[in-house]
Amino acid sequence: MTAYVFITPALLGAVAFVFLPLVLVVWYSLHEWNVLADTFNFVGAENYRKLADDPNFPAVLRATAFFSIGLVVLNLALALLLAVLLNQKLRGTTFFRVLFFSPVVVSLLAWTIVWGFLLQDNGGLNGVLETVGIDGSNWLRSGGTAMVSVVIVQVFKNVGLNMVLFLAALQGVPQELYEAARTDGAGPWTIFRRITLPLISPTILLTSIITVVGSLQVFAQISVLTQGGPGTSTTVLVYYLYQQAFQFHAFGYGATLSVVLFLIVLALTVLQWQMRKRWVFHEH
């Protein structure tokens, strides 16, 4: 009974703010709910049929996939590279650790607004490029660069968190393994591939799950930087959900998109968790 008393607050919070909202979202997705018209009518699977016929939905899924893949690949690769470099016993590494981690603790909105000014047509980035004779584009208003710009802004914002996690994992690798490998004539790349990567693979799994889920929930960056434009080139699923529910007041259809988002996140998380048996060291 003591244990149940201690976990009751957490259970009540989970029921009130996780499980009940999930049930309600599914229930709302079966209704046509317009707050302005004050209507709440049961329509069954009509919203899901509407989703299948929505001409914008494929473009939204493509934008979401592009953003998620770009963010996950760049974030994890850059974070691991920085962690390996900062794990060396060199002077000044503490300064660079603080430098790369500091964006993590900066307000997301403030960070995004500053980058919005830097990436404008007459912003700071184009001003720097102009000094070396390069004519920069309007990064956030061009279909070819808008999504790339948003991805890079988000990578710089959160790469420090994964860097710290990788750094902690690297410092936990026994040094005697490296010494034994060097004694046997192994080179730096072989040591990294055969010793470092397997031993930090649990952390790679953790960071990949966190980064994938986070990439599918991005909203503030899209809202501040591009508002989903130009066209639908940066309209990811969460922003499209917001548009349908809170701009067009189609809460039933917005709830349907929420259910789709939940299923995507769930499927990807389960897939990564199952794949751990193949490449995570401690699962072998």
Side-chain angles (χ1 to χ4, degrees):
M1 286 303 299
T2 303
Y4 283 115
V5 169
F6 275 107
I7 67 174
T8 294
L11 286 176
L12 291 177
V15 170
F17 299 109
V18 179
F19 299 114
L20 181 59
L22 282 175
V23 173
L24 289 176
V25 162
V26 175
W27 175 247
Y28 293 153
S29 71
L30 303 176
H31 291 76
E32 183 180 346
W33 183 11
N34 190 312
V35 176
L36 295 180
D38 194 22
T39 59
F40 187 73
N41 301 316
F42 182 81
V43 294
E46 184 60 33
N47 283 323
Y48 293 93
R49 285 191 287 268
K50 179 182 177 181
L51 179 66
D53 296 332
D54 189 343
N56 294 322
F57 190 62
V60 170
L61 288 181
R62 284 195 298 271
T64 304
F66 186 92
F67 179 86
S68 297
I69 293 173
L71 177 65
V72 171
V73 172
L74 288 178
N75 190 311
L76 295 182
L78 182 58
L80 183 56
L81 175 62
L82 291 173
V84 171
L85 293 176
L86 295 178
N87 194 40
Q88 310 302 313
K89 292 181 174 60
L90 301 174
R91 294 181 61 183
T93 54
T94 301
F95 168 77
F96 285 104
R97 291 177 189 177
V98 175
L99 178 66
F100 289 122
F101 186 76
S102 57
V104 177
V105 298
V106 173
S107 166
L108 175 60
L109 190 59
W111 174 268
T112 307
I113 290 174
V114 169
W115 273 99
F117 284 114
L118 292 175
L119 294 173
Q120 287 179 355
D121 191 23
N122 57 348
L125 179 59
N126 284 344
V128 173
L129 293 176
E130 188 176 353
T131 61
V132 294
I134 299 176
D135 186 18
S137 66
N138 193 347
W139 303 96
L140 298 175
R141 295 293 177 264
S142 172
T145 59
M147 179 61 82
V148 175
S149 300
V150 175
V151 170
I152 292 175
V153 169
Q154 182 67 3
V155 167
F156 287 161
K157 176 69 174 69
N158 289 330
V159 69
L161 177 60
N162 287 341
M163 178 198 74
V164 169
L165 295 174
F166 282 137
L167 191 57
L170 289 171
Q171 293 177 347
V173 177
Q175 292 301 310
E176 55 267 24
L177 294 179
Y178 291 139
E179 295 170 0
R182 295 190 189 97
T183 302
D184 290 340
W189 172 244
T190 301
I191 292 175
F192 179 76
R193 186 166 58 92
R194 295 292 188 180
I195 297 177
T196 304
L197 279 181
L199 290 180
I200 68 170
S201 56
T203 303
I204 296 176
L205 174 66
L206 169 66
T207 54
S208 65
I209 292 177
I210 293 174
T211 308
V212 168
V213 173
S215 70
L216 292 170
Q217 296 176 338
V218 64
F219 171 77
Q221 298 87 329
I222 301 295
S223 179
V224 173
L225 292 175
T226 65
Q227 295 80 49
T232 58
S233 61
T234 59
T235 304
V236 295
L237 186 54
V238 173
Y239 191 76
Y240 190 59
L241 184 161
Y242 161 78
Q243 286 181 318
Q244 295 297 320
F246 298 101
Q247 290 185 351
F248 306 146
H249 303 286
F251 284 93
Y253 190 53
T256 304
L257 294 170
S258 298
V259 172
V260 172
L261 176 62
F262 170 75
L263 293 176
I264 292 174
V265 172
L266 178 63
L268 290 177
T269 304
V270 171
L271 177 62
Q272 291 178 90
W273 186 250
Q274 292 299 319
M275 288 177 61
R276 83 191 191 282
K277 298 175 183 178
R278 296 188 173 212
W279 59 275
V280 174
F281 177 73
H282 298 295
E283 297 288 339
H284 293 325

